[in-house]
Amino acid sequence: MPNARTARLSRRGLLAAGGALGLGAVLTACGDDDAKDGGADTKGSAKSGPWSFKDDRGTTVKLDEAPKNIVAFTGVAAALYDYGIEVKGVFGPTTTKDGKADVQAGDMDVSKVTVLGNVWDQFNVEKYAALAPDVLISTMFDDAGTLWYVPEASKDKIAKLAPSVGISVFDRQLTAPLQRMWELAESLGADMTDTKVTEAKKRFEAASERLRKAAKAKPEIKVLVGSASPELFYVSGTNLSIDLEYFKALGVNFVEPTEEAKKATGGWFESLSWENVDKHKADVIMMDDRSSAIQPADITEATWKQLPAVKASQVIARSTEPILSYDKCVAPVEALAEAIEKAKKVS
């Protein structure tokens, strides 16, 4: 999970560790996730009349009409954009150093949104107030209702300016928050019968079935999930991250850090020195694609280059913080399915 607070580990510390505890480092089956989620309360139409939505904290936000001035965490805004809902402001990784759209911005035109903060602990409250926000929407990487990328120091000031909606991406399978984002978009006025939307969902379901079949055909292929920083290599566990929990339910054979190693990070990941990066044997490696992590092509450590999966070119990107639209979740599932289908046993 990116850099959220896990157990008593500081969120800043988690961010430094790769941003998402197993969501990278420091982050057809749906299990029983439904019991963990809230429900959409969409009384009235998004186009006229009152609007309400019950989020995953159990909080129901009620407004006289559907919110028009929406401010959201970048990844949430990107998901809503795919459903035809545009926001006024964003916070979180939005642009790269060269001014291009960050991977978490998806297809949004980042030049058309007000960026309140592009990095951790950055959120311009004055700019936020000037947008006259109707609602703030973010994800949550813990069960305490902590809104992702809303700074601890200014959260109370931010909360006074507009109600908030939290979508949980903690300890559940990917299909659960995907459904919640669908419900939220629908409540905001998105046309969920649009061909582009329905076809994306079908493609996601087909990709999931492909992954299930690939994992069943090659159960011996072991997949390690990692994230790289200058000092450390992080190996993610699968028990808390929405994508990994889902992939595991489809049968993927993941490398798991020891329970003892994960204790220090609230169960999210294991930290390894680059000298010990070969501790776990793997045939395929999935690497954190976020801009906060070092990408595989830029890793210069000799121990990395000697890993069997690296030498065999069996390294793929991982969408550590998936954009929660079906359209954006197709590619990561297909990529893992293809990697397993083509993988040679090298561990």
Side-chain angles (χ1 to χ4, degrees):
M1 116 202 166
N3 30 348
R5 181 176 288 164
T6 62
R8 292 295 177 184
L9 194 61
S10 75
R11 291 193 293 172
R12 179 180 291 279
L14 289 178
L15 180 64
L21 310 160
L23 239 82
V26 171
L27 204 229
T28 325
C30 187
D32 59 353
D33 290 283
D34 290 345
K36 298 178 183 177
D37 299 325
D41 182 357
T42 56
K43 297 174 184 175
S45 150
K47 295 176 180 166
S48 63
W51 177 86
S52 66
F53 187 85
K54 184 177 181 181
D55 75 0
D56 291 338
R57 297 170 297 184
T59 300
T60 299
V61 176
K62 297 181 180 181
L63 300 173
D64 291 338
E65 59 181 1
K68 295 181 176 61
N69 292 346
I70 301 171
V71 173
F73 170 67
T74 303
V76 170
L80 292 175
Y81 183 88
D82 286 349
Y83 290 131
I85 304 297
E86 298 190 24
V87 307
K88 293 293 182 67
V90 297
F91 54 95
T94 307
T95 59
T96 57
K97 292 180 180 179
D98 58 6
K100 295 180 180 179
D102 188 274
V103 64
Q104 294 191 60
D107 293 332
M108 279 195 303
D109 183 344
V110 296
S111 70
K112 293 183 178 180
V113 293
T114 298
V115 181
L116 303 176
N118 198 54
V119 298
W120 185 252
D121 253 358
Q122 185 182 86
F123 191 113
N124 191 312
V125 180
E126 289 72 27
K127 278 189 178 181
Y128 178 56
L131 291 175
D134 295 320
V135 68
L136 178 148
I137 309 172
S138 190
T139 49
M140 301 181 297
F141 282 92
D142 59 27
D143 56 7
T146 305
L147 296 173
W148 194 232
Y149 267 78
V150 173
E152 185 73 19
S154 55
K155 67 176 184 178
D156 292 338
K157 290 181 181 178
I158 293 168
K160 291 177 181 178
L161 295 171
S164 62
V165 167
I167 300 297
S168 180
V169 288
F170 175 71
D171 194 17
R172 61 203 63 209
Q173 293 176 28
L174 177 60
T175 42
L178 271 174
Q179 178 60 28
R180 295 294 285 137
M181 194 62 70
W182 175 290
E183 293 168 357
L184 177 60
E186 185 173 37
S187 80
L188 293 169
D191 180 4
M192 310 314 282
T193 65
D194 183 88
T195 301
K196 181 181 177 181
V197 173
T198 57
E199 287 301 314
K201 188 172 184 180
K202 289 178 182 177
R203 287 189 293 113
F204 174 79
E205 292 168 347
S208 296
E209 179 61 15
R210 177 184 176 184
L211 178 55
R212 186 192 66 78
K213 289 179 178 179
K216 184 176 182 180
K218 288 189 170 182
E220 73 280 5
I221 297 299
K222 299 174 68 175
V223 179
L224 181 145
V225 182
S227 185
S229 75
E231 297 81 18
L232 296 169
F233 183 81
Y234 307 98
V235 179
S236 296
T238 63
N239 291 337
L240 299 176
S241 299
I242 56 174
D243 60 330
L244 304 185
E245 284 203 17
Y246 184 56
F247 298 157
K248 182 169 62 175
L250 292 175
V252 176
N253 180 12
F254 283 106
V255 171
E256 294 284 356
T258 64
E259 291 304 313
E260 182 178 2
K262 291 190 294 183
K263 280 182 181 178
T265 63
W268 286 95
F269 61 93
E270 175 181 10
S271 303
L272 296 176
S273 66
W274 283 103
E275 289 75 14
N276 295 315
V277 73
D278 61 351
K279 176 180 177 180
H280 300 288
K281 308 304 179 184
D283 305 295
V284 172
I285 300 176
M286 299 174 69
M287 290 294 290
D288 189 348
D289 72 350
R290 293 170 303 168
S291 54
S292 58
I294 299 176
Q295 297 307 299
D298 299 320
I299 298 175
T300 58
E301 300 289 343
T303 48
W304 163 261
K305 294 180 179 180
Q306 290 304 309
L307 293 177
V310 176
K311 294 173 72 174
S313 297
Q314 294 178 176
V315 178
I316 64 172
R318 176 200 176 198
S319 295
T320 302
E321 292 184 56
I323 294 173
L324 296 173
S325 71
Y326 284 102
D327 179 70
K328 292 300 180 291
C329 287
V330 172
V333 181
E334 287 184 335
L336 181 54
E338 182 178 10
I340 293 174
E341 290 166 351
K342 294 181 176 179
K344 297 177 182 179
K345 184 67 179 175
V346 295
S347 64

